[in-house]
Amino acid sequence: VMGYPGGNVESSCSNLMPSHGANAQTSNAPYTVVANPTTFKAGDTITVTLRATSGSFKGFLLEAWEVGGSTPVGSFTSLASVSQGLTCSGIANSAVSHTSSSSKTSIQATWKAPSSGSLKDIQFSATFVQSTKTFWVAVKSGTVTYSGTSVPNPVTTAHTSTTTQKANSPVSVATVTGTVISNDACGINKTCFSSPSGCNPQITNGCYFMSAVALSSSIQFEISAPSNGYIAIGFSDDTQMGSDDVYICGKDANGNIQVQHAFSTGTTTPTTLPLGNVTVITSSISNGIISCSFISRNSISTQSRAVPSLLYYIMLGSGPSANGQIQMHTQTPFVSAQKIDLSAIQAVGGNAGVSDMIKAHGALMLIAWMTTGSIGMIMARYFKKIAHGQAVCGKDIWFLAHVFLMVLTVVATGIAFIIIFVEAMDWSGGAHPVLGCIVMILALVQPRIVFNVVHALNAFIIKIIAVAAIFTGLQRIDSSSNQWLAKVMGGFVGWEFLFYLLQDFNLFLKRKGKAENKCVLKGKDTIKCNTHLLFFYVFYVSLHV
């Protein structure tokens, strides 16, 4: 700024207007002012970020005003190297300005609220100067709400890492009740990734959320998600787990929140790394929601070494923990549909990263045990007498249909079994793979000795285990808060169970001689037929097609 390249602009404290002999721009400013958190108490600190959404700025002036006022409130305690504190209205460091006319894209400062007095809601106001004649005056942040007097808390709420930290050592931080993460300024001042898309973690239950703000030499991250153990963000060159840079926010052995840096090598527990150059760590856990906010100067690495890029697929997941150790996530992590540039400003949504191979595995298992297997079992149990005496190659038609459907079931199960092991290339843990292996083994060794008893009993056991495996599989991939996939499956199973009850009741009536009809097909032998059974069979098959 040619008029005041050193930023000594105390004369502009009252109105933020540069003395450049020109009028301020009236168009929308290509800059934003963001405060985090958005509530405060007496003595609290707030991080304020000035950022260019396009281009850059050379000069700036930042103050905190009461809403509707123009007098500075509080003071700035932590400043960037290219900024300085000013004395406005007799209050030292009540404003921040530039120290040179070098081009800037972002500036961050820490504001401290007065520890006493009559405090009210505030806004941060800033002037941005591109050139002597081009500047925007009083660009405001969102309202920061005053929530009362602070209660002294003897527990440390922030941590700054140092190079003397032991390798593989997590950093434990106490719960910070003031941590507020929201989707304010997503796509304006920060890059956001969330599921459901566009959800606000401040007000939306079941919101998985992360944001990133690229500063001059660091990135400020926020993550929030429902969890009883940990939440984590990962940065990957592809949509699969493995060779990913990960930050974990979760409970330690004492139930406090710890932040860890890790490297994922696949479906096994990630390798813990030194936390490195991470500062301003805050965290909270409330009503089952874990939130963390921190600034990292570490380079993001996907090959156990730093790579000069900010373009990655983003993964966001959660799961349980035990004695401070993270466990296998209970549902598939959310993965961005494309690589996201952390230095760009955008807001994107995510879905649980279910690969095509996993979808094929699930589809084949549903076809096998809720369609072909179910119909094959019904054919054997209820249709033996409908086409009695009608044979092909010396075998009853119902038997051939039963064998054909059950062979299809075993083949589909085998293909699904192979697909998922090729996809996972490992044992994923939990009940689902155990149940799946049992189903595969029993399907292959279906006994043919003591046929009528053991064969039928084994089929019944396989059916129950297969349904249980499908339920546990759906719970893994269903990321919705109401688990609607499992509920739909429950309705499907309920309908099939009702069908069996109706048919067994029909057989009971038939034995009593109350539900048997005889019909004669012209030119054929007389066969026994059951109109109720045929009706329900057609209806059942129509629902499975």
Side-chain angles (χ1 to χ4, degrees):
V1 179
M2 295 181 65
Y4 301 92
N8 299 315
V9 291
E10 284 89 347
S11 60
S12 300
C13 284
S14 60
N15 57 11
L16 300 180
M17 184 70 182
S19 300
H20 292 179
N23 294 324
Q25 301 296 308
T26 57
S27 60
N28 291 332
Y31 310 105
T32 59
V33 181
V34 175
N36 183 41
T38 56
T39 63
F40 75 100
K41 298 177 182 179
D44 280 358
T45 58
I46 294 175
T47 300
V48 186
T49 304
L50 309 183
R51 185 176 179 86
T53 56
S54 64
S56 61
F57 56 95
K58 295 184 176 181
F60 68 92
L61 178 60
L62 170 66
E63 296 179 20
W65 292 349
E66 289 183 356
V67 175
S70 58
T71 302
V73 177
S75 60
F76 291 88
T77 60
S78 179
L79 306 175
S81 60
V82 293
S83 60
Q84 61 185 335
L86 301 179
T87 299
C88 294
S89 300
I91 305 173
N93 295 322
S94 58
V96 183
S97 70
H98 54 281
T99 59
S100 72
S101 59
S102 61
S103 295
K104 309 164 187 66
T105 57
S106 64
I107 291 291
Q108 192 169 79
T110 301
W111 176 84
K112 183 177 178 62
S115 58
S116 62
S118 178
L119 302 182
K120 299 179 181 179
D121 296 349
I122 65 167
Q123 284 182 309
F124 292 94
S125 299
T127 289
F128 295 88
V129 179
Q130 277 187 357
S131 65
T132 304
K133 303 296 184 183
T134 306
F135 51 86
W136 285 261
V137 173
V139 178
K140 289 181 168 52
S141 70
T143 299
V144 181
T145 305
Y146 174 62
S147 57
T149 303
S150 293
V151 177
N153 189 342
V155 183
T156 300
T157 60
H159 174 88
T160 301
S161 67
T162 67
T163 57
T164 60
Q165 181 186 2
K166 293 181 179 179
N168 302 331
S169 174
V171 171
S172 295
V173 292
T175 299
V176 180
T177 57
T179 302
V180 177
I181 296 177
S182 73
N183 66 349
D184 293 345
C186 283
I188 300 174
N189 182 69
K190 58 187 180 182
T191 296
C192 298
F193 174 64
S194 61
S195 184
S197 180
C199 67
N200 188 344
Q202 195 172 6
I203 60 176
T204 306
N205 292 328
C207 179
Y208 290 76
F209 178 88
M210 72 81 63
S211 71
V213 177
L215 307 176
S216 57
S217 60
S218 60
I219 302 177
Q220 179 177 339
F221 292 108
E222 296 177 325
I223 52 177
S224 176
S227 176
N228 61 357
Y230 72 92
I231 58 178
I233 51 173
F235 306 95
S236 179
D237 290 325
D238 54 38
T239 59
Q240 304 300 313
M241 294 183 63
S243 298
D244 313 317
D245 201 331
V246 180
Y247 285 99
I248 303 166
C249 179
K251 294 180 180 178
D252 63 14
N254 298 318
N256 296 321
I257 300 300
Q258 67 179 8
V259 175
Q260 293 177 283
H261 188 199
F263 188 79
S264 170
T265 56
T267 56
T268 57
T269 303
T271 302
T272 304
L273 302 175
L275 190 60
N277 199 354
V278 174
T279 60
V280 194
I281 300 174
T282 59
S283 64
S284 69
I285 180 168
S286 177
N287 298 321
I289 306 296
I290 295 178
S291 301
C292 283
S293 176
F294 57 93
I295 295 175
S296 174
R297 291 176 175 82
N298 298 328
S299 296
I300 295 177
S301 168
T302 55
Q303 298 295 333
S304 296
R305 58 181 176 83
V307 291
S309 173
L310 289 177
L311 189 64
Y312 297 99
Y313 288 98
I314 294 179
M315 299 178 176
L316 181 57
S318 64
S321 62
N323 297 319
Q325 299 297 316
I326 68 171
Q327 307 297 307
M328 180 74 180
H329 47 74
T330 53
Q331 65 180 36
T332 304
F334 299 97
V335 182
S336 59
Q338 64 279 327
K339 288 185 176 181
I340 295 176
D341 186 350
L342 298 178
S343 65
I345 304 299
Q346 55 188 311
V348 297
N351 294 311
V354 181
S355 69
D356 291 339
M357 295 279 276
I358 293 177
K359 292 177 182 177
H361 166 79
L364 286 169
M365 291 300 288
L366 283 170
I367 291 171
W369 295 105
M370 297 307 297
T371 304
T372 57
S374 296
I375 297 174
M377 292 177 186
I378 289 171
M379 293 289 294
R381 182 172 177 81
Y382 301 113
F383 280 71
K384 291 181 180 180
K385 295 183 178 180
I386 284 188
H388 183 69
Q390 304 298 310
V392 175
C393 298
K395 298 291 184 181
D396 285 348
I397 291 178
W398 73 265
F399 179 77
L400 295 176
H402 168 72
V403 171
F404 174 72
L405 289 168
M406 299 315 294
V407 168
L408 285 181
T409 299
V410 175
V411 170
T413 302
I415 295 174
F417 188 80
I418 294 171
I419 285 175
I420 201 61
F421 268 99
V422 171
E423 168 71 6
M425 297 297 291
D426 203 345
W427 185 264
S428 63
H432 180 71
V434 174
L435 295 172
C437 287
I438 293 174
V439 169
M440 187 73 258
I441 293 170
L442 292 180
L444 290 174
V445 300
Q446 177 70 309
R448 293 295 183 265
I449 303 174
V450 197
F451 188 86
N452 290 333
V453 178
V454 178
H455 179 79
L457 179 60
N458 189 62
F460 179 71
I461 294 173
I462 297 175
K463 175 69 176 180
I464 292 177
I465 298 175
V467 169
I470 292 172
F471 269 112
T472 56
L474 291 176
Q475 289 173 345
R476 284 194 170 207
I477 66 172
D478 187 0
S479 58
S480 62
S481 59
N482 61 1
Q483 289 279 298
W484 69 271
L485 284 177
K487 292 178 180 179
V488 172
M489 179 65 183
F492 200 6
V493 173
W495 154 245
E496 186 170 332
F497 180 70
L498 177 62
F499 181 87
Y500 275 96
L501 286 180
L502 290 174
Q503 293 310 315
D504 280 345
F505 181 67
N506 183 70
L507 289 178
F508 172 77
L509 294 179
K510 184 177 179 181
R511 293 188 185 100
K512 295 294 185 179
K514 296 181 179 180
E516 183 177 311
N517 292 323
K518 288 189 177 181
C519 51
V520 178
L521 300 179
K522 187 174 181 180
K524 302 281 186 177
D525 294 331
T526 300
I527 66 172
K528 293 183 178 181
C529 61
N530 191 308
T531 56
H532 300 86
L533 184 59
L534 289 173
F535 171 77
F536 280 119
Y537 176 71
V538 172
F539 186 46
Y540 179 87
V541 173
S542 68
L543 290 179
H544 283 67
V545 174

